[in-house]
Amino acid sequence: MLCCACSGPRSAATLQINPYEYTIQKKIIGSNGAVTSAHPLASETGVSIMKQGGNAIDAAIATQLALAVVYPGAGNIGGGGFTVMRLSNGTNITIDYREKAPARAHRDMYLDKQGNAQTALSQNGHLAAGVPGTVAGLFGCMKYAKLPFTKLIQPAIDLAENGFVITESEAHDLNRTRDAFIKYNTVTPVFVKAGGWKAGDTLVQKDLANTLKRIRDKGMAGFYEGETARLIVEEMKRANGIINYDDLKNYQAKEREPVVFDYKSYKIITMPLPSSGGVLLPQMMQMIEDQPVKAYGFLSARAVQLMTEIERRAYADRAKFLGDLDFYKVPVKKLTSKAYAVERMKDYNDQTAGSSETTGAGLIPESEETTHFSVYDKSGNAVSVTTTLNGGYGSRTVVGGAGFLLNNEMDDFSIKPGVPNMYGAVGADANAIAPGKRMLSSMTPTIVLKDNKPFLVVGTPGGTTITTSVFQTLINILEFDMSTEDAVNKPKFHHQWLPDEIFVEAAFPQPVREQLRQMGYKVTQRGAIGRTEVIRIDANGTIEAVADKRGDDSAAGY
Ligand code: GLY
């Protein structure tokens, strides 16, 4: 029997991995290690790996592979992501396994003859897919792991082969996506079930299990070459896809120089470009650092107005300047300098709403199915991973015979200057499509150090809301002294320059909305913002892992 959303911390010793009977834990306290992710089975898989002698990196690899099975909407091997690590020896590492544009991609590939943007093509089906990076990213992490890869991937193989019981929200999401699965596939995937899915049904993924076995047996070549590559290329040929054998064989994950900056007495480590978070988070933290936000108080109109104006300035820069540094010269040093942050806030007026240009902005939809997980082990290794297919179930195209979903990450490029992507974000030349280029991302996996030791491991899904959610979660803890649960679960808000409005969650207080409207802001209620997963490590070594209340997210630890 599946028991959902048990409240309150529970002794980790009672947790077991049983794919047919599991519980959602929103908070766990431990002293040895913890994982918090979008799915209980994935979190428990990571912890079981630590119990078998693995470190946080082993656990992160096993968790990501398990998510690819139990959380098909965003956990993936057909997408990409970013990993930020703080190793117990004090080294900071980031691994970029963002998808890349295929060699046959070009700047105008989503424009029709009249030059109109065809977002249906950048968001759905075969042509929406970038070259997947996740499997290369996992192998990029292996040099910091202790256990053999064969051991780390086995739980995912078992979950795919023998099946697991799905939750109510997974059943709902699969049913809601049924028509798209039928439309965008050449071979009907296992995600389509006659009569529809319900909570407690078992999802078995034999094709995916076989793909995972090829990766287990042949390493990266088990995905980027041989049978899996053949299945991907054959799938492309059956529709309008353009990923070819060379795109797959040439894909490489990259270790990049981590972004490290100070916020008061804390050190913050996050992901550089192509994560826009690596520019926006330092910008926003430095813009707020000298402001009396704590005195204003959490969710006071003054605090929200201040943070909104900070978000507006950062996202305006995102649209103009940010893209893949391997292809475009981005003035990162200037954008992230304290002097620039001070300059940007010079025209800040704490009484009235600022203004953004209004052309080309669209609405923000509420399907933002990236996923984040945080991992920590008692020897001091911290791993923060955000990974994605982009939208929920990505392109909705499953590679026939290989059983995994392809991303629709091409939509994160600016397919035409000023045309909003599925998150309403606009871009320019810096993020235009080019063969082999990585599309700009908002994913912001982050680690905060206190006294030079890991204090917070944090991140979230949520499209363009990712960086503002990480920003707000950090301010909630570092300035408003909130408990971890409150920092994660209290209402969030979001402003991204265009559209020029503040998006708020349903629980955002009505009186504050009114005060903001009186200042001149457009305030729009929307669905949940993010699913933030935080691990907090206290000076005495206590590990607290909190999973966001907004989904099936679950913490595990011991
Ligand atoms: N696809 C969401 C992101 O990378 O920002």
Side-chain angles (χ1 to χ4, degrees), residues 325-369:
L325 259 182
D326 292 347
F327 283 72
Y328 196 88
K329 201 165 156 31
V330 180
V332 174
K333 214 167 162 192
K334 162 136 188 142
L335 290 171
T336 56
S337 72
K338 182 71 188 178
Y340 182 75
V342 170
E343 184 63 30
R344 288 289 270 158
M345 288 303 279
K346 271 197 174 144
D347 62 352
Y348 165 62
N349 177 331
D350 67 1
Q351 300 298 316
T352 57
S355 141
S356 304
E357 292 173 24
T358 50
T359 49
L363 285 176
I364 301 180
E366 288 153 18
S367 170
E368 299 160 336
E369 296 298 343

mmCIF file of all heavy atoms in Angstrom, residues 325-369:
data_model
loop_
_atom_site.group_PDB
_atom_site.id
_atom_site.type_symbol
_atom_site.label_atom_id
_atom_site.label_comp_id
_atom_site.label_asym_id
_atom_site.label_seq_id
_atom_site.Cartn_x
_atom_site.Cartn_y
_atom_site.Cartn_z
ATOM 1 N N LEU A 325 28.907 30.232 -23.334
ATOM 2 C CA LEU A 325 30.212 30.932 -23.392
ATOM 3 C C LEU A 325 31.162 30.333 -24.431
ATOM 4 O O LEU A 325 32.070 31.013 -24.908
ATOM 5 C CB LEU A 325 30.902 30.829 -22.028
ATOM 6 C CG LEU A 325 30.848 32.016 -21.091
ATOM 7 C CD1 LEU A 325 31.631 31.701 -19.834
ATOM 8 C CD2 LEU A 325 31.398 33.273 -21.743
ATOM 9 N N ASP A 326 30.950 29.048 -24.763
ATOM 10 C CA ASP A 326 31.820 28.426 -25.775
ATOM 11 C C ASP A 326 31.554 29.040 -27.154
ATOM 12 O O ASP A 326 32.339 28.868 -28.080
ATOM 13 C CB ASP A 326 31.569 26.909 -25.849
ATOM 14 C CG ASP A 326 32.019 26.195 -24.588
ATOM 15 O OD1 ASP A 326 32.737 26.826 -23.779
ATOM 16 O OD2 ASP A 326 31.643 25.022 -24.401
ATOM 17 N N PHE A 327 30.416 29.734 -27.292
ATOM 18 C CA PHE A 327 30.021 30.270 -28.606
ATOM 19 C C PHE A 327 29.873 31.777 -28.619
ATOM 20 O O PHE A 327 29.816 32.380 -29.673
ATOM 21 C CB PHE A 327 28.672 29.676 -29.033
ATOM 22 C CG PHE A 327 28.776 28.282 -29.545
ATOM 23 C CD1 PHE A 327 29.026 27.228 -28.682
ATOM 24 C CD2 PHE A 327 28.648 28.014 -30.903
ATOM 25 C CE1 PHE A 327 29.129 25.935 -29.152
ATOM 26 C CE2 PHE A 327 28.750 26.725 -31.385
ATOM 27 C CZ PHE A 327 28.996 25.687 -30.497
ATOM 28 N N TYR A 328 29.724 32.373 -27.453
ATOM 29 C CA TYR A 328 29.354 33.792 -27.418
ATOM 30 C C TYR A 328 30.080 34.461 -26.261
ATOM 31 O O TYR A 328 30.136 33.927 -25.161
ATOM 32 C CB TYR A 328 27.833 33.913 -27.227
ATOM 33 C CG TYR A 328 27.286 35.278 -27.561
ATOM 34 C CD1 TYR A 328 26.898 35.585 -28.870
ATOM 35 C CD2 TYR A 328 27.178 36.254 -26.591
ATOM 36 C CE1 TYR A 328 26.404 36.839 -29.182
ATOM 37 C CE2 TYR A 328 26.683 37.506 -26.903
ATOM 38 C CZ TYR A 328 26.296 37.791 -28.199
ATOM 39 O OH TYR A 328 25.808 39.029 -28.503
ATOM 40 N N LYS A 329 30.622 35.635 -26.551
ATOM 41 C CA LYS A 329 31.371 36.342 -25.507
ATOM 42 C C LYS A 329 30.379 37.022 -24.551
ATOM 43 O O LYS A 329 29.694 37.964 -24.935
ATOM 44 C CB LYS A 329 32.278 37.379 -26.175
ATOM 45 C CG LYS A 329 33.433 37.825 -25.334
ATOM 46 C CD LYS A 329 34.458 38.543 -26.217
ATOM 47 C CE LYS A 329 35.352 39.501 -25.461
ATOM 48 N NZ LYS A 329 35.676 39.215 -24.105
ATOM 49 N N VAL A 330 30.299 36.503 -23.346
ATOM 50 C CA VAL A 330 29.387 37.058 -22.350
ATOM 51 C C VAL A 330 30.232 37.811 -21.308
ATOM 52 O O VAL A 330 31.207 37.257 -20.795
ATOM 53 C CB VAL A 330 28.574 35.934 -21.660
ATOM 54 C CG1 VAL A 330 27.628 36.524 -20.624
ATOM 55 C CG2 VAL A 330 27.807 35.106 -22.683
ATOM 56 N N PRO A 331 29.882 39.054 -20.996
ATOM 57 C CA PRO A 331 30.687 39.817 -20.021
ATOM 58 C C PRO A 331 30.426 39.371 -18.577
ATOM 59 O O PRO A 331 29.947 40.143 -17.739
ATOM 60 C CB PRO A 331 30.234 41.258 -20.263
ATOM 61 C CG PRO A 331 28.841 41.143 -20.774
ATOM 62 C CD PRO A 331 28.748 39.842 -21.527
ATOM 63 N N VAL A 332 30.763 38.104 -18.291
ATOM 64 C CA VAL A 332 30.404 37.510 -16.995
ATOM 65 C C VAL A 332 31.027 38.273 -15.833
ATOM 66 O O VAL A 332 30.368 38.556 -14.825
ATOM 67 C CB VAL A 332 30.856 36.028 -16.948
ATOM 68 C CG1 VAL A 332 30.629 35.439 -15.569
ATOM 69 C CG2 VAL A 332 30.116 35.220 -17.998
ATOM 70 N N LYS A 333 32.310 38.626 -15.992
ATOM 71 C CA LYS A 333 33.019 39.278 -14.881
ATOM 72 C C LYS A 333 32.318 40.588 -14.498
ATOM 73 O O LYS A 333 32.086 40.860 -13.323
ATOM 74 C CB LYS A 333 34.467 39.535 -15.312
ATOM 75 C CG LYS A 333 35.422 39.410 -14.180
ATOM 76 C CD LYS A 333 36.834 39.350 -14.659
ATOM 77 C CE LYS A 333 37.716 39.687 -13.457
ATOM 78 N NZ LYS A 333 39.054 39.941 -13.796
ATOM 79 N N LYS A 334 31.982 41.337 -15.512
ATOM 80 C CA LYS A 334 31.315 42.625 -15.249
ATOM 81 C C LYS A 334 29.924 42.394 -14.638
ATOM 82 O O LYS A 334 29.553 43.009 -13.633
ATOM 83 C CB LYS A 334 31.211 43.411 -16.560
ATOM 84 C CG LYS A 334 30.196 44.529 -16.522
ATOM 85 C CD LYS A 334 30.702 45.800 -17.134
ATOM 86 C CE LYS A 334 29.675 46.879 -16.857
ATOM 87 N NZ LYS A 334 30.010 48.104 -16.566
ATOM 88 N N LEU A 335 29.162 41.472 -15.260
ATOM 89 C CA LEU A 335 27.788 41.256 -14.804
ATOM 90 C C LEU A 335 27.726 40.787 -13.357
ATOM 91 O O LEU A 335 26.741 41.026 -12.664
ATOM 92 C CB LEU A 335 27.084 40.224 -15.699
ATOM 93 C CG LEU A 335 26.754 40.659 -17.134
ATOM 94 C CD1 LEU A 335 26.281 39.471 -17.953
ATOM 95 C CD2 LEU A 335 25.693 41.754 -17.142
ATOM 96 N N THR A 336 28.760 40.072 -12.914
ATOM 97 C CA THR A 336 28.710 39.493 -11.560
ATOM 98 C C THR A 336 29.564 40.283 -10.561
ATOM 99 O O THR A 336 29.774 39.821 -9.445
ATOM 100 C CB THR A 336 29.163 38.017 -11.581
ATOM 101 O OG1 THR A 336 30.471 37.952 -12.161
ATOM 102 C CG2 THR A 336 28.226 37.150 -12.382
ATOM 103 N N SER A 337 30.040 41.462 -10.957
ATOM 104 C CA SER A 337 30.862 42.239 -10.013
ATOM 105 C C SER A 337 29.960 42.995 -9.036
ATOM 106 O O SER A 337 28.825 43.353 -9.350
ATOM 107 C CB SER A 337 31.761 43.225 -10.766
ATOM 108 O OG SER A 337 30.974 44.275 -11.292
ATOM 109 N N LYS A 338 30.488 43.233 -7.878
ATOM 110 C CA LYS A 338 29.739 43.986 -6.859
ATOM 111 C C LYS A 338 29.474 45.414 -7.363
ATOM 112 O O LYS A 338 28.376 45.959 -7.165
ATOM 113 C CB LYS A 338 30.558 44.022 -5.558
ATOM 114 C CG LYS A 338 29.876 44.733 -4.427
ATOM 115 C CD LYS A 338 28.692 43.960 -3.863
ATOM 116 C CE LYS A 338 27.908 44.793 -2.868
ATOM 117 N NZ LYS A 338 26.739 44.115 -2.342
ATOM 118 N N ALA A 339 30.449 45.986 -8.055
ATOM 119 C CA ALA A 339 30.287 47.361 -8.538
ATOM 120 C C ALA A 339 29.093 47.449 -9.486
ATOM 121 O O ALA A 339 28.298 48.396 -9.434
ATOM 122 C CB ALA A 339 31.563 47.801 -9.256
ATOM 123 N N TYR A 340 28.944 46.435 -10.336
ATOM 124 C CA TYR A 340 27.814 46.421 -11.280
ATOM 125 C C TYR A 340 26.486 46.288 -10.528
ATOM 126 O O TYR A 340 25.499 46.957 -10.845
ATOM 127 C CB TYR A 340 28.007 45.272 -12.270
ATOM 128 C CG TYR A 340 26.927 45.180 -13.323
ATOM 129 C CD1 TYR A 340 26.886 46.080 -14.380
ATOM 130 C CD2 TYR A 340 25.955 44.191 -13.260
ATOM 131 C CE1 TYR A 340 25.895 46.000 -15.351
ATOM 132 C CE2 TYR A 340 24.962 44.097 -14.223
ATOM 133 C CZ TYR A 340 24.939 44.994 -15.269
ATOM 134 O OH TYR A 340 23.957 44.916 -16.214
ATOM 135 N N ALA A 341 26.473 45.429 -9.484
ATOM 136 C CA ALA A 341 25.246 45.254 -8.697
ATOM 137 C C ALA A 341 24.836 46.581 -8.054
ATOM 138 O O ALA A 341 23.656 46.960 -8.062
ATOM 139 C CB ALA A 341 25.455 44.178 -7.628
ATOM 140 N N VAL A 342 25.816 47.288 -7.541
ATOM 141 C CA VAL A 342 25.526 48.585 -6.895
ATOM 142 C C VAL A 342 24.988 49.569 -7.935
ATOM 143 O O VAL A 342 23.984 50.257 -7.722
ATOM 144 C CB VAL A 342 26.813 49.125 -6.214
ATOM 145 C CG1 VAL A 342 26.634 50.567 -5.743
ATOM 146 C CG2 VAL A 342 27.209 48.215 -5.056
ATOM 147 N N GLU A 343 25.625 49.585 -9.095
ATOM 148 C CA GLU A 343 25.212 50.468 -10.192
ATOM 149 C C GLU A 343 23.769 50.177 -10.615
ATOM 150 O O GLU A 343 22.953 51.079 -10.813
ATOM 151 C CB GLU A 343 26.191 50.241 -11.373
ATOM 152 C CG GLU A 343 25.991 51.135 -12.572
ATOM 153 C CD GLU A 343 26.217 52.608 -12.263
ATOM 154 O OE1 GLU A 343 27.035 52.902 -11.371
ATOM 155 O OE2 GLU A 343 25.532 53.446 -12.891
ATOM 156 N N ARG A 344 23.464 48.892 -10.745
ATOM 157 C CA ARG A 344 22.122 48.477 -11.197
ATOM 158 C C ARG A 344 21.032 48.918 -10.232
ATOM 159 O O ARG A 344 19.888 49.121 -10.625
ATOM 160 C CB ARG A 344 22.063 46.949 -11.355
ATOM 161 C CG ARG A 344 22.831 46.417 -12.538
ATOM 162 C CD ARG A 344 22.177 46.767 -13.836
ATOM 163 N NE ARG A 344 21.220 45.753 -14.273
ATOM 164 C CZ ARG A 344 20.232 45.977 -15.109
ATOM 165 N NH1 ARG A 344 20.027 47.183 -15.581
ATOM 166 N NH2 ARG A 344 19.414 45.007 -15.480
ATOM 167 N N MET A 345 21.370 49.019 -8.952
ATOM 168 C CA MET A 345 20.354 49.376 -7.953
ATOM 169 C C MET A 345 20.237 50.887 -7.753
ATOM 170 O O MET A 345 19.403 51.344 -6.968
ATOM 171 C CB MET A 345 20.681 48.689 -6.608
ATOM 172 C CG MET A 345 20.442 47.191 -6.628
ATOM 173 S SD MET A 345 18.739 46.732 -7.071
ATOM 174 C CE MET A 345 17.911 46.957 -5.487
ATOM 175 N N LYS A 346 21.040 51.664 -8.492
ATOM 176 C CA LYS A 346 21.027 53.120 -8.278
ATOM 177 C C LYS A 346 19.666 53.736 -8.603
ATOM 178 O O LYS A 346 19.242 54.692 -7.960
ATOM 179 C CB LYS A 346 22.120 53.778 -9.118
ATOM 180 C CG LYS A 346 23.450 53.845 -8.366
ATOM 181 C CD LYS A 346 24.393 54.830 -9.001
ATOM 182 C CE LYS A 346 25.642 54.961 -8.131
ATOM 183 N NZ LYS A 346 26.835 55.132 -8.929
ATOM 184 N N ASP A 347 18.988 53.193 -9.608
ATOM 185 C CA ASP A 347 17.688 53.776 -9.969
ATOM 186 C C ASP A 347 16.523 53.062 -9.284
ATOM 187 O O ASP A 347 15.367 53.231 -9.651
ATOM 188 C CB ASP A 347 17.499 53.772 -11.496
ATOM 189 C CG ASP A 347 17.497 52.362 -12.064
ATOM 190 O OD1 ASP A 347 17.791 51.406 -11.304
ATOM 191 O OD2 ASP A 347 17.209 52.201 -13.260
ATOM 192 N N TYR A 348 16.830 52.268 -8.285
ATOM 193 C CA TYR A 348 15.765 51.555 -7.561
ATOM 194 C C TYR A 348 14.951 52.541 -6.726
ATOM 195 O O TYR A 348 15.509 53.333 -5.972
ATOM 196 C CB TYR A 348 16.376 50.467 -6.663
ATOM 197 C CG TYR A 348 15.435 49.931 -5.620
ATOM 198 C CD1 TYR A 348 14.270 49.275 -5.989
ATOM 199 C CD2 TYR A 348 15.698 50.089 -4.262
ATOM 200 C CE1 TYR A 348 13.391 48.799 -5.044
ATOM 201 C CE2 TYR A 348 14.826 49.607 -3.299
ATOM 202 C CZ TYR A 348 13.678 48.963 -3.699
ATOM 203 O OH TYR A 348 12.797 48.500 -2.760
ATOM 204 N N ASN A 349 13.639 52.494 -6.884
ATOM 205 C CA ASN A 349 12.741 53.363 -6.133
ATOM 206 C C ASN A 349 11.872 52.469 -5.249
ATOM 207 O O ASN A 349 11.168 51.590 -5.752
ATOM 208 C CB ASN A 349 11.877 54.155 -7.139
ATOM 209 C CG ASN A 349 10.865 55.038 -6.459
ATOM 210 O OD1 ASN A 349 10.393 54.755 -5.366
ATOM 211 N ND2 ASN A 349 10.520 56.136 -7.121
ATOM 212 N N ASP A 350 11.946 52.655 -3.936
ATOM 213 C CA ASP A 350 11.243 51.720 -3.050
ATOM 214 C C ASP A 350 9.760 52.052 -2.858
ATOM 215 O O ASP A 350 9.094 51.415 -2.053
ATOM 216 C CB ASP A 350 11.972 51.600 -1.696
ATOM 217 C CG ASP A 350 11.915 52.900 -0.894
ATOM 218 O OD1 ASP A 350 11.308 53.883 -1.377
ATOM 219 O OD2 ASP A 350 12.499 52.925 0.204
ATOM 220 N N GLN A 351 9.256 52.998 -3.643
ATOM 221 C CA GLN A 351 7.839 53.363 -3.492
ATOM 222 C C GLN A 351 6.965 52.862 -4.646
ATOM 223 O O GLN A 351 5.780 52.595 -4.456
ATOM 224 C CB GLN A 351 7.689 54.893 -3.426
ATOM 225 C CG GLN A 351 8.437 55.534 -2.274
ATOM 226 C CD GLN A 351 7.944 55.048 -0.916
ATOM 227 O OE1 GLN A 351 6.745 54.951 -0.690
ATOM 228 N NE2 GLN A 351 8.872 54.724 -0.027
ATOM 229 N N THR A 352 7.542 52.779 -5.842
ATOM 230 C CA THR A 352 6.696 52.461 -7.011
ATOM 231 C C THR A 352 7.281 51.331 -7.833
ATOM 232 O O THR A 352 8.469 51.019 -7.740
ATOM 233 C CB THR A 352 6.573 53.682 -7.951
ATOM 234 O OG1 THR A 352 7.887 54.066 -8.322
ATOM 235 C CG2 THR A 352 5.855 54.842 -7.302
ATOM 236 N N ALA A 353 6.415 50.800 -8.682
ATOM 237 C CA ALA A 353 6.832 49.707 -9.565
ATOM 238 C C ALA A 353 7.770 50.239 -10.642
ATOM 239 O O ALA A 353 7.532 51.305 -11.201
ATOM 240 C CB ALA A 353 5.603 49.093 -10.220
ATOM 241 N N GLY A 354 8.826 49.481 -10.942
ATOM 242 C CA GLY A 354 9.649 49.776 -12.106
ATOM 243 C C GLY A 354 8.887 49.371 -13.353
ATOM 244 O O GLY A 354 7.687 49.041 -13.286
ATOM 245 N N SER A 355 9.543 49.393 -14.519
ATOM 246 C CA SER A 355 8.827 49.039 -15.750
ATOM 247 C C SER A 355 9.748 48.263 -16.687
ATOM 248 O O SER A 355 10.931 48.521 -16.772
ATOM 249 C CB SER A 355 8.327 50.331 -16.395
ATOM 250 O OG SER A 355 8.453 50.271 -17.781
ATOM 251 N N SER A 356 9.206 47.303 -17.393
ATOM 252 C CA SER A 356 9.972 46.554 -18.387
ATOM 253 C C SER A 356 9.392 46.858 -19.768
ATOM 254 O O SER A 356 8.231 47.241 -19.886
ATOM 255 C CB SER A 356 9.861 45.054 -18.138
ATOM 256 O OG SER A 356 10.272 44.720 -16.848
ATOM 257 N N GLU A 357 10.178 46.676 -20.800
ATOM 258 C CA GLU A 357 9.593 46.755 -22.145
ATOM 259 C C GLU A 357 8.525 45.676 -22.244
ATOM 260 O O GLU A 357 8.657 44.609 -21.659
ATOM 261 C CB GLU A 357 10.675 46.489 -23.191
ATOM 262 C CG GLU A 357 11.701 47.576 -23.268
ATOM 263 C CD GLU A 357 12.838 47.200 -24.193
ATOM 264 O OE1 GLU A 357 12.622 46.352 -25.080
ATOM 265 O OE2 GLU A 357 13.926 47.735 -24.004
ATOM 266 N N THR A 358 7.508 45.917 -23.008
ATOM 267 C CA THR A 358 6.383 44.980 -22.980
ATOM 268 C C THR A 358 6.256 44.132 -24.240
ATOM 269 O O THR A 358 5.352 43.313 -24.324
ATOM 270 C CB THR A 358 5.072 45.750 -22.775
ATOM 271 O OG1 THR A 358 5.039 46.808 -23.726
ATOM 272 C CG2 THR A 358 4.983 46.303 -21.373
ATOM 273 N N THR A 359 7.140 44.309 -25.218
ATOM 274 C CA THR A 359 6.978 43.548 -26.457
ATOM 275 C C THR A 359 7.352 42.071 -26.280
ATOM 276 O O THR A 359 8.284 41.737 -25.556
ATOM 277 C CB THR A 359 7.865 44.114 -27.568
ATOM 278 O OG1 THR A 359 9.169 44.277 -27.033
ATOM 279 C CG2 THR A 359 7.336 45.423 -28.095
ATOM 280 N N GLY A 360 6.603 41.225 -26.985
ATOM 281 C CA GLY A 360 7.014 39.832 -27.153
ATOM 282 C C GLY A 360 6.853 38.933 -25.955
ATOM 283 O O GLY A 360 7.247 37.778 -26.005
ATOM 284 N N ALA A 361 6.301 39.418 -24.873
ATOM 285 C CA ALA A 361 6.218 38.567 -23.692
ATOM 286 C C ALA A 361 5.002 37.660 -23.751
ATOM 287 O O ALA A 361 3.967 38.034 -24.277
ATOM 288 C CB ALA A 361 6.144 39.426 -22.442
ATOM 289 N N GLY A 362 5.150 36.462 -23.188
ATOM 290 C CA GLY A 362 4.034 35.514 -23.175
ATOM 291 C C GLY A 362 3.723 35.105 -21.746
ATOM 292 O O GLY A 362 4.374 35.541 -20.801
ATOM 293 N N LEU A 363 2.729 34.243 -21.605
ATOM 294 C CA LEU A 363 2.375 33.767 -20.282
ATOM 295 C C LEU A 363 3.294 32.634 -19.873
ATOM 296 O O LEU A 363 3.813 31.917 -20.709
ATOM 297 C CB LEU A 363 0.932 33.264 -20.294
ATOM 298 C CG LEU A 363 -0.110 34.370 -20.314
ATOM 299 C CD1 LEU A 363 -1.489 33.748 -20.423
ATOM 300 C CD2 LEU A 363 -0.007 35.233 -19.059
ATOM 301 N N ILE A 364 3.465 32.467 -18.595
ATOM 302 C CA ILE A 364 4.287 31.371 -18.103
ATOM 303 C C ILE A 364 3.389 30.176 -17.827
ATOM 304 O O ILE A 364 2.526 30.241 -16.964
ATOM 305 C CB ILE A 364 5.012 31.764 -16.813
ATOM 306 C CG1 ILE A 364 5.896 32.976 -17.071
ATOM 307 C CG2 ILE A 364 5.835 30.606 -16.291
ATOM 308 C CD1 ILE A 364 6.656 33.430 -15.861
ATOM 309 N N PRO A 365 3.565 29.072 -18.556
ATOM 310 C CA PRO A 365 2.759 27.901 -18.240
ATOM 311 C C PRO A 365 3.264 27.243 -16.951
ATOM 312 O O PRO A 365 4.321 27.596 -16.458
ATOM 313 C CB PRO A 365 2.982 26.987 -19.442
ATOM 314 C CG PRO A 365 4.306 27.390 -19.972
ATOM 315 C CD PRO A 365 4.506 28.824 -19.623
ATOM 316 N N GLU A 366 2.513 26.301 -16.439
ATOM 317 C CA GLU A 366 2.881 25.770 -15.129
ATOM 318 C C GLU A 366 3.401 24.343 -15.188
ATOM 319 O O GLU A 366 3.354 23.623 -14.221
ATOM 320 C CB GLU A 366 1.697 25.914 -14.187
ATOM 321 C CG GLU A 366 1.494 27.374 -13.823
ATOM 322 C CD GLU A 366 0.090 27.719 -13.474
ATOM 323 O OE1 GLU A 366 -0.673 26.799 -13.178
ATOM 324 O OE2 GLU A 366 -0.250 28.904 -13.505
ATOM 325 N N SER A 367 3.863 23.906 -16.343
ATOM 326 C CA SER A 367 4.471 22.594 -16.446
ATOM 327 C C SER A 367 5.966 22.779 -16.620
ATOM 328 O O SER A 367 6.439 23.043 -17.699
ATOM 329 C CB SER A 367 3.873 21.860 -17.645
ATOM 330 O OG SER A 367 4.604 20.691 -17.891
ATOM 331 N N GLU A 368 6.674 22.711 -15.527
ATOM 332 C CA GLU A 368 8.101 23.061 -15.558
ATOM 333 C C GLU A 368 8.873 21.903 -14.973
ATOM 334 O O GLU A 368 9.436 21.996 -13.894
ATOM 335 C CB GLU A 368 8.310 24.335 -14.758
ATOM 336 C CG GLU A 368 7.527 25.495 -15.350
ATOM 337 C CD GLU A 368 7.305 26.614 -14.360
ATOM 338 O OE1 GLU A 368 7.340 26.362 -13.153
ATOM 339 O OE2 GLU A 368 7.098 27.735 -14.814
ATOM 340 N N GLU A 369 8.874 20.782 -15.686
ATOM 341 C CA GLU A 369 9.238 19.535 -15.047
ATOM 342 C C GLU A 369 10.715 19.207 -15.083
ATOM 343 O O GLU A 369 11.088 18.106 -15.445
ATOM 344 C CB GLU A 369 8.401 18.395 -15.627
ATOM 345 C CG GLU A 369 6.938 18.536 -15.337
ATOM 346 C CD GLU A 369 6.585 18.521 -13.856
ATOM 347 O OE1 GLU A 369 7.429 18.079 -13.056
ATOM 348 O OE2 GLU A 369 5.490 18.955 -13.508
#
